[in-house]
Amino acid sequence: MQANYGLPQISLVRGVGVEVWDVQGNRYLDFLGGIATNILGHAHPEVVAAIHKQSQTLSHVSNLYSHPSGVLLAEKLQSFVGDQSARVFFCNSGAEANESAIKLSRLTGRKRIISTLGSFHGRTMGALSITGQESKRLAFKPLLRKIQYVPFDDLAAAKRAISKKISMFIVEPIQGENGVVVPKPGYLQGLRELTTKHGVLLAIDAVQTGMGRTGTWFGYENEKITPDVITLAKGLGGGLPLGAMIAIGDAASYFKPGSHGSTFGGNPISCASALAAISVLERDGLLKQCLEFEASLKREIGQINSVLEVRGAGLLLGIVLKENKAKDFAAKLQAAGVLVNAATESVIRIAPPLIVSPAQVSEFVQIFRKVATENGY
Ligand SMILES: Cc1ncc(COP(=O)(O)O)c(C=O)c1O
């Protein structure tokens, strides 16, 4: 394999729920969940059964035909948006969902897009163009032109930038890759007002915050807005590759036959897996439970000496350290049997499966505290 991911330190061979095992038989508590992707953990019996059943029934049909799992999932997502006009385009990943949003935005007749500094929207050329991190874009220029980056959580800057020349403003409800950065209440509402005033599409990148992880289906609902576009991936497929770009209102009719497509996007197996995952999330009240874990993790981890604050929502949390030692801390946690990642130099990100138990949350806190104390952090 190529060197783009660096050299992995462990090789994982098996997982059950929130636990995984490496090739040497060491057990880890998986508090990263495939970076916010394994929404129900590993090998969830209902997801496994749905995948099994679908793969025995119909596995791939191409996009020339519809299939029940795709239609049911689109209807489910429409109901979560709460707007009958919502229409879904299925793809395979977050980057593809954002590529689809970029193409949709071109159909407004305008060409300029605004994104936020520090944002992450994916690695393909279009998604990279709207990613607000120069370090990731630099080697791949020239990228898409007419993209402007404004400071995140800054309504005054957004106001100066938004005009009738802009096609779309894309923003994450919480900047995940940038270290779980949470905007002030009212930010998304303010963006909604500004974009509506100038006829600009408001796109919410819910790839990381979505599918219940932050306590609501997409992560923007507390702001009481309806965006024009929502992009999803990660947790959507219940662990299988699946992305979606949902367009709402007028934007829902921009794509015409031939505008866009994907061979594997919305394939029956990924959609069946997604439907099974959603039914467990709903039945077991996991969105609400997620908020209870948020409160206890913020309280308990927040008390540890080396921790400045714990920020984020639900089970997408950034543990901000007083010192820039997140990488080292994450490596020590891994050696102690806990998987997390260093989102930035000072922030450890946790995004465990939503089926995590109170006992596993306690075990995490205990190991975190022990590693912090033993290493004098
Ligand atoms: C907010 C956000 N958007 C888009 C992406 C890209 O998703 P993918 O890796 O599935 O292309 C990510 C991945 O981390 C993300 O966090």
Side-chain angles (χ1 to χ4, degrees), residues 63-86:
N63 48 42
L64 298 177
Y65 312 100
S66 85
H67 58 83
S69 304
V71 176
L72 287 173
L73 182 59
E75 283 174 356
K76 202 76 204 167
L77 294 175
Q78 184 193 56
S79 76
F80 294 159
V81 175
D83 191 313
Q84 286 284 313
S85 72

Side-chain angles (χ1 to χ4, degrees), residues 63-125:
N63 48 42
L64 298 177
Y65 312 100
S66 85
H67 58 83
S69 304
V71 176
L72 287 173
L73 182 59
E75 283 174 356
K76 202 76 204 167
L77 294 175
Q78 184 193 56
S79 76
F80 294 159
V81 175
D83 191 313
Q84 286 284 313
S85 72
R87 294 289 181 274
V88 182
F89 168 78
F90 286 119
C91 49
N92 306 284
S93 68
E96 282 181 42
N98 288 326
E99 291 290 336
S100 314
I102 293 169
K103 282 184 74 176
L104 189 87
S105 78
R106 286 285 171 97
L107 301 180
T108 60
R110 305 179 186 179
K111 295 195 171 53
R112 295 173 190 271
I113 295 175
I114 304 178
S115 177
T116 57
L117 286 167
S119 63
F120 185 79
H121 298 294
R123 302 282 191 163
T124 52
M125 295 300 267

Side-chain angles (χ1 to χ4, degrees), residues 93-96 98 120-122 172 177 205 207-208 233-234:
S93 68
E96 282 181 42
N98 288 326
F120 185 79
H121 298 294
E172 297 158 82
E177 297 301 302
D205 180 340
V207 168
Q208 192 156 153
K234 287 196 180 278

Side-chain angles (χ1 to χ4, degrees), residues 11-15 20-25:
S11 174
L12 299 175
V13 293
R14 190 166 74 85
V20 288
W21 285 264
D22 70 14
V23 70
Q24 266 112 23

